[in-house]
């Protein structure tokens, strides 16, 4: 049973990391786009990445669950705990940096179902700005937040793989 939990946890965390890494790898190309091109391209992400995004909270939950099955104070336990903290940092970056910009990109789209509820959710209860922000600043925030998220995801995955390997 522990082996299955370890494999599932690594796979789910790998998916969460891969989504952020995919965005990070697009950075050089997307920085060359004009405003019109960027705004045309940006909405393509939301259907698939929203579904795949379930891997982040699931990875947190699975990593925490795995920690309960590892001997307290052992090297694998502390590696899994560090992986959990890296996942918390990755997920926090999403809510603090990326999500508010997603809401800006999607303000003119009529979302339905779970996507509508997800993108309307704001745990920090920020007020929508009435001014028109600089699109480059929003682009940079969105793009670079994924570089940071990919870094945390890679750290989490490496720690987790090490935890299950030792």
């Amino acid at each position: 049973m522990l082996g299955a939990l370890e494999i599932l946890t690594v796979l789910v965390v790998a998916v969460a990391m891969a989504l952020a890494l995919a965005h990070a790898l697009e950075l050089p190309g997307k920085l060359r786009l004009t405003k019109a091109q960027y705004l045309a391209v940006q909405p393509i992400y939301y259907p698939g990445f929203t579904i795949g995004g379930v891997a982040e909270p699931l990875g947190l939950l699975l990593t925490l669950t795995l920690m309960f099955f590892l001997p307290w104070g052992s090297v694998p336990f502390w590696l899994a705990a560090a992986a959990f903290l890296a996942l918390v940092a990755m997920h926090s970056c999403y809510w603090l940096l990326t999500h508010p910009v997603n809401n800006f990109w999607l303000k003119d789209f009529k979302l339905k179902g779970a996507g509508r509820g997800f993108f309307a959710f704001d745990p920090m209860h920020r007020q929508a700005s009435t001014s028109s922000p600089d699109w480059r600043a929003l682009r940079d925030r969105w793009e670079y937040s994924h570089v940071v998220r990919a870094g945390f995801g890679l750290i989490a995955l490496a720690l987790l793989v090490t935890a299950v390997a030792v």
Side-chain angles (χ1 to χ4, degrees), residues 12-13 55-65 84 87-88 91:
V12 170
V13 169
E56 277 192 52
L58 188 56
L60 280 163
L61 181 63
L62 287 169
T63 303
L64 188 62
T65 302
F84 178 78
L87 289 170
V88 167
H91 203 62

Side-chain angles (χ1 to χ4, degrees), residues 8-63:
L8 181 61
T9 304
V10 168
L11 288 174
V12 170
V13 169
V15 169
M17 179 279 305
L19 295 176
L21 183 60
H23 284 310
L25 293 172
E26 295 172 332
L27 178 87
K30 287 182 72 184
L31 291 180
R32 293 191 310 248
L33 299 177
T34 66
K35 180 180 180 179
Q37 291 169 327
Y38 190 87
L39 294 176
V41 167
Q42 198 62 18
I44 68 170
Y45 296 111
Y46 298 103
F49 279 78
T50 301
I51 293 166
V54 170
E56 277 192 52
L58 188 56
L60 280 163
L61 181 63
L62 287 169
T63 303

Side-chain angles (χ1 to χ4, degrees), residues 82-133:
F84 178 78
L85 292 175
L87 289 170
V88 167
M90 179 185 180
H91 203 62
S92 297
C93 284
Y94 175 81
W95 289 106
L96 295 171
L97 302 171
T98 312
H99 190 74
V101 181
N102 280 338
N103 285 334
F104 178 79
W105 297 136
L106 293 171
K107 69 181 181 345
D108 296 327
F109 287 86
K110 303 293 181 217
L111 298 172
K112 297 176 184 166
R116 185 168 129 198
F118 177 79
F119 287 108
F121 179 69
D122 183 4
M124 298 185 70
H125 305 290
R126 291 169 280 228
Q127 298 297 319
S129 174
T130 56
S131 65
S132 180

